[in-house]
Amino acid sequence: MFQKKEFHLILSIFAHIFLRMIIVKTKEEIELMRESALVVSRTLGMLAKEVKPGVTTLQLDKLAEEYIREQGAIPGFLGLYDFPNTLCMSPNSQIVHGFPTNEPLKEGDIISIDCGAIKNEYYGDHAYTFAVGEIAPEIQKLLDVTKESLYLGIRELKVGNRVGDVGYAIQKFCEDHGYGVVRELVGHGLGKKMHEDPEMPNYGKRGRGKKFIDGMVVAIEPMINMGTHRIKQHRDGWTITTLDNKPSAHFEHDVAILDGKPELLSTFAYVYEALGIVSNEEDEFRQKALVL
C-alpha cells in the first residue's frame, strides 16, 4: 500500500509524463488545422501590402485583428499568457515577442510579424520577417538565409527522424554563414493549445531527441541573429533583443507529418502574391497544389 506522500509523487510523475506527450492528430484534424494556419497566412498576405515606411505597428495590429475576425476566427495571441495584442511585432534587433507601438516604421527597417489564430478550436501560428522599403544587402542576406534554413529544417521532419535532425540542419546552415542561432527560444508542437510537445530547437545533434511519427503537427521557426546568438530579455517580460543589438530574422511555418512526410499547413504564397515574388520553394512539401 502506497503512503500518501508516495502516492502524490507517483501522481505528479504520471501527470508530467501525460502533459509532455505528443498529441497525434488524425488526417481530419490536420485538415482543420490547415484552415487555422491559412487564416494566419492570409492575414500575413494582407499585412504585406501595408508594411511600408510611416505606418505604425499598432495600425497593423488593428488591421490584423479585424481581418482575422472577418475570417470567422479568433486572434490566437490576444490574451494568451496575458499578451495584450493580436500580433507580436519585432523590428530590427528585436527577435520575438515585441509589442506593437505608435512608432512609425522607417525605410531600411525589418519587422518580424508573428501571428496566431484559432479556428475550429485549433491554433495556427505563423511568422514572416518583412523588409520595410529598401534594406541593406547584408540584412537581405540574413533574411534569405534564415528563410532557407526553415525549409532545410522542414525537410528533416519525417517519420524515423528525430527533433535533433531538424535543429542540426538549421544550425549548421546558419552558422556556416556566420550567424548566431538563438538557444533560449524554440519552435513547438501545435494543436488545441498554442504550445504542445515536442519543443523544436533550431540547434541540435543528429539522431537525438524525440522520434517523429505520423500525425504530429509542429511550428518550426528559426530565429537567427546577424551577430551573437546571445539574447537580452527586457523588463516588460516579453521583448527579446539581440545582446549586441544587431538585426535578427524570424520565419515560421506550421507543418504536419502526413503519410511519413512533411506537409505544409501554412504558406507564404499570400505574402509573395502581395509582394510580386515568384517562388516554388513550398512545392515539395505539399501533396496537392495550393489553391489561393
Side-chain angles (χ1 to χ4, degrees):
M1 195 74 171
F2 292 122
Q3 298 294 320
K4 185 175 181 181
K5 186 176 180 181
E6 293 172 329
F7 179 71
H8 283 295
L9 177 61
I10 292 168
L11 275 182
S12 68
I13 292 170
F14 274 106
H16 178 74
I17 293 170
F18 176 77
L19 289 170
R20 300 302 295 171
M21 282 176 56
I22 293 169
I23 302 174
V24 174
K25 280 76 177 178
T26 65
K27 289 186 175 181
E28 291 75 18
E29 288 173 318
I30 288 171
E31 289 309 308
L32 293 176
M33 292 195 70
R34 192 192 304 273
E35 291 183 33
S36 305
L38 290 177
V39 168
V40 182
S41 299
R42 287 190 289 269
T43 303
L44 290 175
M46 178 275 293
L47 292 169
K49 302 173 185 177
E50 306 295 333
V51 173
K52 61 191 72 171
V55 72
T56 72
T57 49
L58 266 176
Q59 289 173 319
L60 297 176
D61 189 71
K62 182 179 180 182
L63 288 173
E65 179 178 354
E66 292 172 351
Y67 190 68
I68 289 169
R69 294 188 190 282
E70 286 171 4
Q71 296 180 78
I74 300 168
F77 294 171
L78 186 60
L80 182 68
Y81 311 128
D82 295 324
F83 189 76
N85 296 98
T86 293
L87 302 174
C88 291
M89 307 287 277
S90 306
N92 301 320
S93 64
Q94 291 188 22
I95 302 169
V96 287
H97 302 164
F99 294 115
T101 72
N102 278 315
E103 184 176 348
L105 295 173
K106 302 186 299 295
E107 183 84 14
D109 284 344
I110 57 173
I111 179 78
S112 163
I113 301 182
D114 195 355
C115 180
I118 306 168
K119 189 171 185 179
N120 307 311
E121 299 182 355
Y122 287 98
Y123 276 93
D125 178 20
H126 187 24
Y128 192 92
T129 299
F130 293 91
V132 183
E134 295 293 323
I135 62 174
E138 61 269 23
I139 298 179
Q140 183 62 58
K141 182 182 176 183
L142 172 68
L143 269 57
D144 293 342
V145 168
T146 303
K147 184 155 64 67
E148 188 171 349
S149 78
L150 170 60
Y151 292 108
L152 291 174
I154 291 170
R155 197 168 289 131
E156 299 295 326
L157 189 76
K158 53 191 175 185
V159 168
N161 276 7
R162 294 179 180 271
V163 166
D165 297 315
V166 172
Y168 175 85
I170 293 170
Q171 180 182 15
K172 185 176 189 309
F173 184 71
C174 293
E175 289 184 348
D176 283 352
H177 283 83
Y179 298 139
V181 179
V182 173
R183 305 296 202 272
E184 293 86 351
L185 305 157
V186 299
H188 50 89
L190 193 66
K192 289 189 175 182
K193 293 183 178 179
M194 172 65 75
H195 298 108
E196 294 184 354
D197 207 31
E199 290 189 344
M200 296 293 298
N202 298 304
Y203 60 92
K205 295 183 178 180
R206 287 202 176 278
R208 300 285 183 88
K210 294 192 175 182
K211 186 177 286 188
F212 297 135
I213 56 177
D214 241 22
M216 289 177 62
V217 180
V218 298
I220 300 177
E221 49 179 323
M223 290 157 273
I224 309 300
N225 301 341
M226 183 171 282
T228 180
H229 68 82
R230 298 176 65 192
I231 69 169
K232 176 182 178 180
Q233 182 163 18
H234 291 236
R235 289 183 178 179
D236 61 21
W238 286 97
T239 308
I240 306 286
T241 58
T242 58
L243 190 63
D244 56 10
N245 289 317
K246 291 184 178 180
S248 182
H250 173 216
F251 292 87
E252 179 179 19
H253 267 312
D254 299 341
V255 196
I257 301 179
L258 206 56
D259 299 325
K261 299 180 294 185
E263 171 77 7
L264 270 182
L265 305 184
S266 54
T267 181
F268 292 144
Y270 296 100
V271 170
Y272 293 163
E273 183 179 45
L275 299 179
I277 296 171
V278 177
S279 172
N280 63 357
E281 66 193 10
E282 297 179 1
D283 290 357
E284 67 176 286
F285 306 115
R286 296 196 186 282
Q287 294 186 11
K288 54 186 179 182
L290 178 71
V291 179
L292 295 181

Short mmCIF file of all heavy atoms in Angstrom, two decimals, residues 96 101 163 232 235 261:
data_model
loop_
_atom_site.label_atom_id
_atom_site.label_comp_id
_atom_site.label_asym_id
_atom_site.label_seq_id
_atom_site.Cartn_x
_atom_site.Cartn_y
_atom_site.Cartn_z
N VAL A 96 11.80 38.33 -31.02
CA VAL A 96 10.39 37.94 -30.98
C VAL A 96 9.71 38.65 -29.82
O VAL A 96 10.35 39.29 -28.98
CB VAL A 96 10.21 36.40 -30.80
CG1 VAL A 96 10.56 35.65 -32.06
CG2 VAL A 96 11.02 35.89 -29.62
N THR A 101 3.54 49.26 -31.35
CA THR A 101 3.68 50.60 -30.77
C THR A 101 3.21 51.65 -31.76
O THR A 101 2.86 51.35 -32.91
CB THR A 101 5.14 50.90 -30.39
OG1 THR A 101 5.90 51.10 -31.61
CG2 THR A 101 5.76 49.78 -29.58
N VAL A 163 13.98 15.05 -33.43
CA VAL A 163 13.99 16.51 -33.25
C VAL A 163 15.37 17.09 -33.55
O VAL A 163 15.50 18.14 -34.18
CB VAL A 163 13.55 16.86 -31.81
CG1 VAL A 163 13.88 18.31 -31.48
CG2 VAL A 163 12.05 16.62 -31.64
N LYS A 232 18.84 39.25 -24.91
CA LYS A 232 18.50 40.03 -23.72
C LYS A 232 16.99 40.09 -23.60
O LYS A 232 16.29 40.42 -24.57
CB LYS A 232 19.05 41.46 -23.85
CG LYS A 232 18.66 42.37 -22.68
CD LYS A 232 19.20 43.79 -22.90
CE LYS A 232 18.76 44.72 -21.77
NZ LYS A 232 19.27 46.11 -21.97
N ARG A 235 12.58 44.25 -19.35
CA ARG A 235 11.85 44.24 -18.09
C ARG A 235 10.34 44.08 -18.28
O ARG A 235 9.64 43.76 -17.33
CB ARG A 235 12.14 45.54 -17.32
CG ARG A 235 13.56 45.61 -16.77
CD ARG A 235 13.77 46.87 -15.96
NE ARG A 235 15.11 46.92 -15.39
CZ ARG A 235 15.57 47.93 -14.66
NH1 ARG A 235 14.78 48.98 -14.41
NH2 ARG A 235 16.80 47.90 -14.18
N LYS A 261 5.72 12.03 -44.40
CA LYS A 261 6.49 13.14 -44.95
C LYS A 261 5.95 14.47 -44.42
O LYS A 261 4.80 14.56 -43.98
CB LYS A 261 6.40 13.13 -46.48
CG LYS A 261 6.96 11.87 -47.13
CD LYS A 261 6.86 11.92 -48.64
CE LYS A 261 5.40 11.92 -49.11
NZ LYS A 261 5.28 11.84 -50.59
#
